Amino acid sequence: MTHAAAEANIRVNGQDEPLITATLAALLEEKAVDTGQRGIAVAVNGAIVPRAAWPHTTLHPGDSIEIVRARQGG
Amino acid sequence: MSDPLIIAGREFGSRLFLGTAGYPNRKLMLDSIAASGTEMVTASIRRISLAGDDESLVDVIPKHVHFLPNTAGCQTAKDAVLTAELAREALETNWIKLEVIGDRELLYPDTEELVRATETLVGKGFIILPYCTDDPVVCRKLADTGAAAVMPLGAPIGSGLGICNPHLIELICARSPVPVVLDAGIGTASDAALALELGCAAVLLNTAVSKARDPVAMAKGMRAAVEAGRLARLAGRIPKLAHAEPSSPQFGLVGT
């Protein structure tokens, strides 16, 4: 096993990256997501995490996170 | 004349639903929404750009206009269900334009996955408007599964071909227990009018307006077309004849 594979990784919007933030809210802050803005939603491992739960949602190695926004569409 | 459209208990004064994609700029999108008189616009749900160049759609749409988020691009019931749940959270609505695509080039609906996703989302309390094929049996199945309306295509998405099989759309409208919304394929105003004449409760269109040379004027045209089509439908068209039927009196002719 390589060193990189042994690191604690998470997957954010389909991209693997090292887990460096403890909570979902910290991850969003690290990604410079304007969490005050409407139209944003987050799922962790396929389950929706309501906005109110972002600060106390702990991230774990292997978590898969989707951060989405409402955009123009047909 | 008060003739509201009611879907899942929500009343609409306008029978035109408008997409928000592909306008030359944001101002033309907003002016088109206003000119169309629509009370519901579609939106998509996409991964946020971590480069931070996204602009929020939510805050610019007028308050009286409802959102109908879509699951555009999803190819499995599983992805569509998660997208619908994300949409509900992001846009604070349990309405969803359910789209499950079976062919990326044709953007043709995958009926099997669509019915499955409808079933799952009904159980989760969604108001589901599925984008589907112009097949009376499929529409019936979706309604029986709990769809609040059915949205058969007139022609492939973005094609502007109009209503390729008006006979089927008419059959679907005649037999559907839920409102029928013609979705996809509208190219110009007469297509939208035809949809209402055939018995559709409403029309959902995007490209015909957003890619028109003058989107705002086309939005106005679509508004008038939908109103005209609805009035004609309610008025009842005359039967088609194979020969002429004089409209002027046949007595008292001048001459001979």
Side-chain angles (χ1 to χ4, degrees):
Chain A
M1 192 186 266
T2 65
H3 178 66
E7 270 179 12
N9 276 348
I10 54 172
R11 205 170 170 78
V12 182
N13 284 356
Q15 299 280 338
D16 286 322
E17 57 178 67
L19 172 58
I20 55 166
T21 50
T23 65
L24 193 52
L27 174 73
L28 292 171
E29 193 185 343
E30 198 255 328
K31 297 292 177 196
V33 175
D34 181 359
T35 52
Q37 211 170 45
R38 294 162 65 219
I40 296 169
V42 180
V44 177
N45 302 327
I48 306 297
V49 181
R51 191 175 281 261
W54 292 351
H56 49 86
T57 298
T58 313
L59 297 179
H60 305 281
D63 278 351
S64 179
I65 297 130
E66 293 282 347
I67 310 167
V68 303
R69 174 197 292 286
R71 305 197 64 144
Q72 288 163 251
Chain B
M1 182 189 65
S2 173
D3 171 37
L5 162 65
I6 297 169
I7 300 177
R10 184 190 283 173
E11 205 174 293
F12 296 92
S14 165
R15 292 173 179 271
L16 178 57
F17 303 143
L18 195 62
T20 56
Y23 294 81
N25 57 57
R26 178 156 291 201
K27 182 180 188 306
L28 282 174
M29 175 188 78
L30 293 174
D31 289 350
S32 297
I33 289 171
S36 74
T38 189
E39 293 163 16
M40 189 156 73
V41 296
T42 53
S44 65
I45 297 297
R46 289 290 179 267
R47 284 173 170 171
I48 208 161
S49 159
L50 297 176
D53 54 359
D54 287 343
E55 240 189 301
S56 173
L57 178 69
V58 185
D59 298 316
V60 299
I61 302 294
K63 292 284 169 282
H64 72 276
V65 177
H66 299 284
F67 273 111
L68 178 63
N70 67 32
T71 62
C74 288
Q75 291 192 286
T76 63
K78 182 170 170 277
D79 287 350
V81 167
L82 177 58
T83 303
E85 291 184 301
L86 286 164
R88 176 160 65 180
E89 183 69 16
L91 288 169
E92 294 158 32
T93 175
N94 59 350
W95 286 53
I96 191 80
K97 170 181 167 176
L98 187 59
E99 206 175 315
V100 188
I101 296 304
D103 185 310
R104 270 187 191 276
E105 271 174 47
L106 304 177
L107 298 180
Y108 220 64
D110 182 324
T111 298
E112 219 178 319
E113 292 292 302
L114 189 62
V115 172
R116 191 173 301 151
T118 302
E119 210 164 41
T120 306
L121 290 171
V122 164
K124 290 174 181 278
F126 281 85
I127 306 292
I128 302 146
L129 289 75
Y131 160 68
C132 59
T133 47
D134 56 351
D135 176 336
V137 176
V138 168
C139 288
R140 183 71 207 208
K141 265 188 193 171
L142 289 165
D144 288 348
T145 307
V150 290
M151 304 208 294
L153 54 83
I157 292 174
S159 68
L161 288 172
I163 299 176
C164 287
N165 200 329
H167 177 65
L168 272 182
I169 295 296
E170 194 168 27
L171 270 180
I172 290 167
C173 294
R175 303 166 72 88
S176 179
V178 295
V180 178
V181 180
L182 198 286
D183 183 6
I186 298 291
T188 187
S190 54
D191 300 332
L194 177 61
L196 276 290
E197 287 169 10
L198 294 173
C200 291
V203 168
L204 198 171
L205 59 91
N206 185 344
T207 314
V209 166
S210 67
K211 298 292 188 201
R213 195 171 61 240
D214 183 342
V216 180
M218 186 59 91
K220 214 183 272 183
M222 290 298 183
R223 176 186 199 157
V226 165
E227 286 171 8
R230 178 63 182 173
L231 283 171
R233 171 71 187 185
L234 294 178
R237 62 154 300 139
I238 58 164
K240 292 180 181 180
L241 299 176
H243 50 82
E245 184 83 9
S247 42
S248 302
Q250 290 310 288
F251 52 87
L253 292 174
V254 175
T256 54

